[in-house]
Amino acid sequence: MASREAVRAAVRQVRPILSADKGEARKRVLNLYKAWYRQIPYVVMDYDIPKSVEQCREKLRQEFEKHRHVTDIRVIDMLVVKGQMELKETVEIWKQKGHVMNYFKETEEPKPTDFLSKFLAGHE
Amino acid sequence: MAALVQGVRGALAISSCLLRATLPRATLVGLQQKGIHTNLCGVTPSAALLTSRNESKVAAQRWMASNPGVKPTVVEIKDRVLRVCKEFDKVTRLSLTRQSIRLYSDKAPLSLELIRDRVLLVLKLYDKIQPEKLTLETHFLNDLGLDSLDHVEIIMAMEDEFGFEIPDGDAERLLRPADIVRYVADKEDIYE
């Protein structure tokens, strides 16, 4: 009982990664969004991807919405850092077209629903 | 040729000194740029390009030539300054300069109404806002149902429209079109 309270008190004052409070974390997130938003026309031009600027912006919005529910500040900071790393690689053209197009690829294959697909997949 | 250019430069300095106190910033930039343009080209402005500013330069040159070594008194200077101020008309002045020389880095003259129209136009073109609900006082987050990322996109559209950066601290306070209009008017020094 006492140990549980001690753990709770310790967890409340954990060391921050980048931002100390929600306001700062929110600023970082919005700046990252702005930077990506402004870079998208150049991404489309440099990598010559078969997507339009609007589609890329929609995808950007989707990626940010994926993590909308996150409340832990350290997790938010980590996600922002990863986003900044991706942005750096995209801006400096260290990536290639395939890396950029990976954003548009679904990582999970949809499960087969009708009989034939299930048969071909081996009744999975 | 060199003497003429020097004379033009001298007259330009005089008219700049006189007008610096009176002209607003944008027109002064236009003035200096036009001066730089003339000096760099080293070409005499042809008669077809003579504007009223050139005419005042020529008049100043003639005055200097006719009264050599005579320093103008304070009363005379005051009269000339007051005459120039009275004759100054911002709209025609800007239209005259635009006629003869192109100022690629200058912006169009703004008024509160023009800012209002441009802000509302940009917001109407944004597809997440319904134009019927949009007025100057509608709150982006509460009334129009947008979220903070949409707000960021709107502020970026305003930055692109008016051509200057809006820092984060100010941007998070601009939550209605009226706020944006007032902010742009403050930054561009428009008081009507």
Side-chain angles (χ1 to χ4, degrees), chain A:
Chain A
M1 266 290 281
S3 65
R4 208 183 304 152
E5 250 115 273
V7 164
R8 215 175 292 148
V11 154
R12 224 173 284 143
Q13 284 149 33
V14 78
R15 215 170 106 148
I17 295 183
L18 283 177
S19 5
D21 58 353
K22 286 213 102 159
E24 226 188 294
R26 186 194 148 89
K27 272 196 207 145
R28 282 182 210 275
V29 169
L30 294 180
N31 275 331
L32 182 67
Y33 185 78
K34 254 183 141 178
W36 268 109
Y37 193 91
R38 285 258 157 83
Q39 188 60 29
I40 279 176
Y42 300 100
V43 168
V44 170
M45 200 167 53
D46 292 333
Y47 291 90
D48 189 27
I49 51 180
K51 297 274 172 188
S52 71
V53 173
E54 289 82 25
Q55 286 171 313
C56 291
R57 288 201 161 131
E58 238 180 80
K59 176 53 70 173
L60 171 69
R61 177 59 76 101
Q62 272 176 31
E63 297 285 326
F64 272 74
E65 294 286 340
K66 252 201 293 188
H67 302 291
R68 181 178 263 274
H69 58 279
V70 177
T71 51
D72 189 356
I73 297 182
R74 286 161 56 94
V75 176
I76 294 175
D77 282 344
M78 209 55 199
L79 291 167
V80 163
V81 164
K82 293 191 69 158
Q84 281 170 348
M85 293 199 292
E86 298 280 315
L87 179 63
K88 178 76 174 171
E89 289 166 9
T90 314
V91 164
E92 303 281 344
I93 321 192
W94 296 335
K95 290 194 183 206
Q96 276 131 11
K97 195 194 282 202
H99 298 112
V100 174
M101 286 308 285
N102 273 337
Y103 287 115
F104 294 93
K105 182 172 174 236
E106 293 304 317
T107 48
E108 297 167 354
E109 291 219 4
K111 280 198 146 176
T113 40
D114 57 334
F115 171 74
L116 198 58
S117 324
K118 277 200 260 185
F119 179 74
L120 293 170
H123 271 295
E124 299 275 358

Side-chain angles (χ1 to χ4, degrees), chain B residues 46-174:
Chain B
S46 67
L49 292 178
L50 265 183
T51 60
S52 68
R53 209 180 119 264
N54 277 343
E55 285 162 7
S56 67
K57 262 192 318 201
V58 168
Q61 264 182 301
R62 259 193 234 117
W63 186 88
M64 290 273 282
S66 62
N67 308 324
V70 170
K71 277 185 97 165
T73 62
V74 177
V75 178
E76 279 172 28
I77 295 179
K78 202 173 13 165
D79 287 336
R80 283 172 70 182
V81 169
L82 286 173
R83 184 171 55 80
V84 170
C85 291
K86 254 185 244 136
E87 288 170 17
F88 178 68
D89 176 25
K90 183 171 178 176
V91 178
T92 44
R93 180 58 82 175
L94 284 173
S95 67
L96 283 176
T97 47
R98 211 176 293 124
Q99 220 173 17
S100 48
I101 306 269
R102 290 204 199 145
L103 306 173
Y104 291 113
S105 63
D106 199 5
K107 297 183 227 181
L110 292 171
S111 67
L112 263 183
E113 208 186 284
L114 186 61
I115 299 177
R116 218 171 282 143
D117 289 338
R118 282 166 83 175
V119 166
L120 286 176
L121 179 68
V122 169
L123 290 173
K124 283 190 187 119
L125 288 172
Y126 188 55
D127 52 357
K128 287 194 190 147
I129 298 182
Q130 296 106 334
E132 314 81 53
K133 279 205 213 163
L134 181 69
T135 69
L136 276 176
E137 293 296 327
T138 46
H139 198 271
F140 290 134
L141 307 182
N142 303 338
D143 300 334
L144 292 169
L146 303 172
D147 64 357
S148 51
L149 292 178
D150 293 324
H151 176 63
V152 170
E153 286 185 22
I154 288 173
I155 298 292
M156 273 198 273
M158 294 300 154
E159 284 182 2
D160 293 336
E161 172 72 23
F162 292 104
F164 64 91
E165 278 233 7
I166 301 178
D168 294 336
D170 298 340
E172 63 189 16
R173 274 184 274 124
L174 301 176

